[in-house]
Amino acid sequence: MRKKECKNCEQIFEGNFCPNCGQNSHEHRINAHYFLHDIPHSVFHVDAGFFFTLKTLFKKPGVLVENFLEGKRIPYFSPIGFVMVMTALSTFLVKFFDWCKVQFLQHFHPESVIHQSNNFFEHYFSLFIFLMIPFAAVVTNLFFIRRKYNFWEHFLVNTYLAAQLNIMWIVMHFVGFIAALVTGKDVEFASEFFLTVFLMFFLYLYGATFGFLMRGFYKKGILILLIGLMNFVLSIVYSYGFNITGIIRN
């Protein structure tokens, strides 16, 4: 294999990456390919990591989290990067679906009453989810405080799960758009319906993840009891957060 000189630190090496600084040996001049492929790849790793992480958090969230905690991290998108991308994606799609709904109703059903909310966290629900991460991490850590995972590892787990919860918010607004197309009205979902949908997805993610992570430490019955109690406490914490921020009003 031909030796190369690193353009960054001038180290002579063989292979695709400099062993001294990690620079890619295939860096080339700035052109259209750089903007269309290299930047999206380096920022989002969209061609593999992001979508693989998104899919795995649906199918096997516990496997992904355990692999990441054990150091098997190459296939997965980083948790902080993942929550940032999901936050941006959720904000964009929610606003897009709401805009489409308003345009449709104003054009085809001008008599329809369009519900508008001035609540900051309803417009930026992803921010609420992000702010809840440390509170959720405290709860999960307290329930499994004697296990091998420390608080910051619980924080990381909750970061992944919080990012995935954005999917529920996107789906709710997409369903609202479809409901407007079908009924010709701006259908406002009841608080009870929202909480039911949210908590079902929430309980699946947390139950599947922590049930898998702790499967070797407890007997099945005790583990089910702990997961159930943990999810109950988390649901209270989130419900309280919904009320404090005005997302759900009593």
Side-chain angles (χ1 to χ4, degrees), residues 55-126:
K55 179 184 72 174
T56 308
L57 279 170
F58 271 118
K59 297 173 65 177
K60 299 177 180 179
V63 173
L64 183 155
V65 169
E66 183 179 59
N67 285 343
F68 200 91
L69 292 177
E70 296 299 323
K72 301 174 184 177
R73 299 169 186 174
I74 290 297
Y76 306 115
F77 209 69
S78 71
I80 300 300
F82 188 67
V83 77
M84 290 176 65
V85 172
M86 287 302 298
T87 296
L89 184 64
S90 173
T91 301
F92 170 76
L93 288 177
V94 164
K95 288 185 176 296
F96 174 72
F97 290 137
D98 286 349
W99 179 84
C100 289
K101 178 181 69 177
V102 170
Q103 295 304 308
F104 171 78
L105 291 174
Q106 288 180 343
H107 186 75
F108 293 103
H109 301 277
E111 76 286 354
S112 210
V113 177
I114 298 175
H115 303 287
Q116 299 286 350
S117 172
N118 294 320
N119 185 282
F120 177 82
F121 286 102
E122 284 187 49
H123 289 284
Y124 298 97
F125 183 77
S126 296

Side-chain angles (χ1 to χ4, degrees), residues 126-210:
S126 296
L127 177 59
F128 167 78
I129 292 295
F130 183 79
L131 293 175
M132 291 299 293
I133 292 174
F135 299 101
V138 168
V139 174
T140 59
N141 189 41
L142 285 174
F143 269 87
F144 298 103
I145 196 166
R146 295 186 179 181
R147 298 280 59 89
K148 63 178 181 178
Y149 301 116
N150 61 39
F151 171 79
W152 293 108
E153 288 169 319
H154 279 269
F155 190 95
L156 181 144
V157 173
N158 281 278
T159 300
Y160 266 132
L161 301 185
Q164 200 73 348
L165 287 172
N166 283 288
I167 298 294
M168 184 280 311
W169 194 239
I170 295 171
V171 171
M172 290 288 289
H173 282 261
F174 177 71
V175 170
F177 170 59
I178 297 300
L181 293 180
V182 173
T183 65
K185 299 178 181 179
D186 185 8
V187 179
E188 192 172 21
F189 294 109
S191 299
E192 294 78 9
F193 178 76
F194 167 78
L195 279 176
T196 300
V197 173
F198 179 86
L199 290 177
M200 283 177 63
F201 189 36
F202 181 91
L203 295 177
Y204 161 71
L205 281 177
Y206 274 80
T209 301
F210 283 93

Side-chain angles (χ1 to χ4, degrees), residues 3-50:
K3 292 188 176 182
K4 308 161 190 175
E5 180 179 313
C6 175
K7 295 179 181 180
N8 184 56
C9 67
E10 300 181 350
Q11 170 86 15
I12 304 299
F13 68 99
E14 295 179 351
N16 295 321
F17 298 94
C18 173
N20 185 48
C21 69
Q23 171 85 6
N24 193 322
S25 65
H26 301 294
E27 294 292 354
H28 46 73
R29 292 188 63 182
I30 305 300
N31 53 23
H33 179 271
Y34 176 80
F35 284 96
L36 294 175
H37 178 268
D38 288 12
I39 289 180
H41 179 273
S42 61
V43 175
F44 300 117
H45 200 28
V46 168
D47 57 346
F50 176 76

